[in-house]
Amino acid sequence: MPFDVKNNGNGSGHPRSQIWAIGGGKGGSGKSLITSSLGICLSRAGKEVLLVDADLGGANLHSCLGTPYPNVTLSDFIRKKVPDIKDVIINTGIPNLRLISGAEDYLEVANTSYTQKIRLLRQLISLDTEYILLDLGAGTAFNTLDFFLIANDGIIIVTPEPTSIENAYRFIKSVFFRRLKRMINDARIRDIIVNAMDRKNELGIRTPVELLNYVESIDNEIGQRFKNEVLKLRPKLIINSVRTKGDINIGFSIKSTCLKYFGINISYVGHVEYDECVWQSVRRRRPLLLEYPNSRPAKCIERIAKNIIMNKEIEEEHF
């Protein structure tokens, strides 16, 4: 069963600690920039925030913050060169905001086991911080999917490009199947899930919703468990680099499609407008919200941070 971050098991973590995992199917969608910006928004609101570059093997979150590459990184913890996660935390120079820089280019680090990931998450939530933001790598590697599923809130970043949209659907589908596979030990049901991942499967299952209905038809109890788990999958969606109203509407289309074919109710929490100040801040190695605090992208991200918190409060009232 997946590790439940809502109950850290030892009572030593912050009583309101929340983990946000920021992912998406395609590289270059702006995950690191949005992760760092959301962290700054929360820290400005007086929240204690820890940013974690969980892009194992391709870390760059420190660049978005203008922080020099540290002497110790997440790889030192994973490889047990340091015993305590506190030993790899660095100050960003921004009040209330700390950073764990990502792993170095080390092959074994980029393929950590599930046990290693749980060890990492257990130590992270033992820290005295209100928010932990994980900047995930691109693609659908098991590391990325597991971090996304372990978090309290998963946030998907998409740009209004066909490849990014396609990869976002692939990412959501992979999250769906990964979640089901991890919660069941029944070999027969696991085989059905694996077969259903092939669009040309002999069972004729074409969508995740059809898979849920098929499993329910042969085992009502497991089928109901699956459907209940899917209801708990409520990822957040952000459309980045928006230029037109049509780009904004892509978010609503993705939300509608995911509900119809996956049975997943995505929350579209906002968009970030395109502006040259974004790449200018990246080139200057300065956080967007500090370099251009009054820019349209900065204001968009501030609204998104508020929307995510408000959305979470609504979910907790109803679920």
Side-chain angles (χ1 to χ4, degrees), residues 36-288:
S36 60
S37 298
L38 288 174
I40 293 173
C41 287
L42 292 169
S43 67
R44 282 178 170 175
K47 309 297 183 182
E48 290 291 335
V49 183
L50 175 64
L51 302 180
V52 181
D53 198 332
D55 185 356
L56 306 183
N60 64 358
L61 188 55
H62 62 284
S63 297
C64 294
L65 294 166
T67 304
Y69 197 82
N71 294 324
V72 289
T73 68
L74 188 58
S75 65
D76 295 301
F77 172 76
I78 293 175
R79 296 163 67 183
K80 297 186 177 180
K81 287 188 173 183
V82 295
D84 197 314
I85 196 69
K86 293 179 181 178
D87 297 329
V88 298
I89 297 176
I90 61 174
N91 291 319
T92 64
I94 300 172
N96 302 322
L97 187 66
R98 297 179 295 169
L99 169 69
I100 293 179
S101 190
E104 298 168 339
D105 293 329
Y106 182 71
L107 182 60
E108 281 73 14
V109 169
N111 293 280
T112 56
S113 68
Y114 189 74
T115 300
Q116 289 173 311
K117 288 190 280 283
I118 295 302
R119 171 175 169 262
L120 170 60
L121 264 295
R122 286 189 184 278
Q123 288 225 12
L124 284 176
I125 63 175
S126 72
L127 301 171
D128 185 20
T129 187
E130 293 179 76
Y131 286 91
I132 300 170
L133 274 60
L134 305 177
D135 180 18
L136 305 181
T140 57
F142 287 163
N143 278 331
T144 301
L145 298 177
D146 287 338
F147 280 133
F148 192 87
L149 286 166
I150 284 170
N152 299 95
D153 284 291
I155 303 169
I156 301 171
I157 312 298
V158 183
T159 58
E161 304 168 359
T163 53
S164 180
I165 297 168
E166 180 180 341
N167 284 325
Y169 284 126
R170 184 176 296 115
F171 181 83
I172 295 167
K173 183 177 181 180
S174 298
V175 167
F176 174 93
F177 282 113
R178 181 68 171 169
R179 182 68 188 93
L180 296 190
K181 286 177 66 178
R182 291 213 65 87
M183 66 175 288
I184 194 71
N185 293 320
D186 189 307
R188 177 188 54 160
I189 302 299
R190 286 178 64 89
D191 287 343
I192 291 172
I193 295 171
V194 171
N195 289 332
M197 294 174 69
D198 181 357
R199 297 181 62 182
K200 299 178 181 178
N201 64 85
E202 297 177 353
L203 298 173
I205 297 173
R206 296 292 176 262
T207 69
V209 169
E210 291 180 4
L211 170 62
L212 294 177
N213 291 334
Y214 181 82
V215 171
E216 187 178 24
S217 70
I218 61 175
D219 192 311
N220 183 70
E221 181 180 352
I222 294 178
Q224 286 298 318
R225 283 178 57 199
F226 278 2
K227 288 187 175 182
N228 289 335
E229 286 301 317
V230 170
L231 286 175
K232 296 177 185 178
L233 284 176
R234 301 180 66 85
K236 313 297 188 290
L237 175 67
I238 298 172
I239 306 296
N240 191 25
S241 298
V242 161
R243 298 172 187 259
T244 67
K245 185 176 180 180
D247 292 344
I248 296 174
N249 289 336
I250 287 173
F252 297 110
S253 297
I254 292 175
K255 176 180 173 65
S256 175
T257 301
C258 286
L259 185 59
K260 180 177 180 180
Y261 292 101
F262 295 92
I264 296 175
N265 191 3
I266 285 183
S267 297
Y268 183 18
V269 292
H271 65 273
V272 180
E273 294 185 36
Y274 173 85
D275 194 297
E276 291 189 356
C277 69
V278 174
W279 67 262
Q280 289 172 356
S281 67
V282 173
R283 186 173 64 179
R284 295 174 183 175
R285 294 176 63 88
R286 285 272 296 167
L288 173 67

